[in-house]
Amino acid sequence: MSEVQKIIQNIALPIHLSDDVFLLLGKKRRIPDFDLMLRHLPEELRKHLDPNATASSGGIGTYLLPLIEGRLKIRVEGQEIVEITEVEY
């Protein structure tokens, strides 16, 4: 088991996100501010994120964030992070 997986196992979900995490477009479409979203994650997990890469969409409400090795999949429903998993290349 990787260090990232061990950290993820200790995170209590769901994680409530503050209102300022999302920029609203219209009534339903929201764009997350990833910097603000990541502040809700434990610092020990954030240190594994690749600061020189960009996030991508993994589907509705799902985001793939680049780790130094692999990717972090985050699924958001409403105002909460409901899933965090490590995805290897």
Side-chain angles (χ1 to χ4, degrees), residues 17 26-27 33 40 43 52 54 57 67 77:
L17 299 171
K27 293 183 180 180
D33 180 327
H40 290 81
E43 184 177 344
N52 298 315
T54 58
S57 175
L67 296 168
E77 289 181 1

Side-chain angles (χ1 to χ4, degrees), residues 1 5 19 21 25 29 33 38-40 43-46 48 50 60 63 71 82:
M1 179 180 297
Q5 289 172 332
D19 290 338
V21 167
L25 286 178
R29 186 171 178 178
D33 180 327
L38 295 177
R39 290 181 192 174
H40 290 81
E43 184 177 344
E44 60 188 353
L45 182 57
R46 291 193 315 252
H48 289 278
D50 183 345
I60 296 174
Y63 307 99
R71 290 188 218 169
V82 295

Side-chain angles (χ1 to χ4, degrees), residues 24-82:
L24 297 176
L25 286 178
K27 293 183 180 180
K28 293 186 178 182
R29 186 171 178 178
R30 302 180 307 164
I31 299 172
D33 180 327
F34 288 107
D35 184 50
L36 292 176
M37 182 186 290
L38 295 177
R39 290 181 192 174
H40 290 81
L41 298 177
E43 184 177 344
E44 60 188 353
L45 182 57
R46 291 193 315 252
K47 75 178 184 177
H48 289 278
L49 293 169
D50 183 345
N52 298 315
T54 58
S56 61
S57 175
I60 296 174
T62 303
Y63 307 99
L64 299 171
L65 303 169
L67 296 168
I68 294 168
E69 292 184 27
R71 290 188 218 169
L72 190 66
K73 176 182 162 187
I74 295 179
R75 189 166 57 89
V76 176
E77 289 181 1
Q79 291 289 119
E80 297 177 326
I81 294 174
V82 295

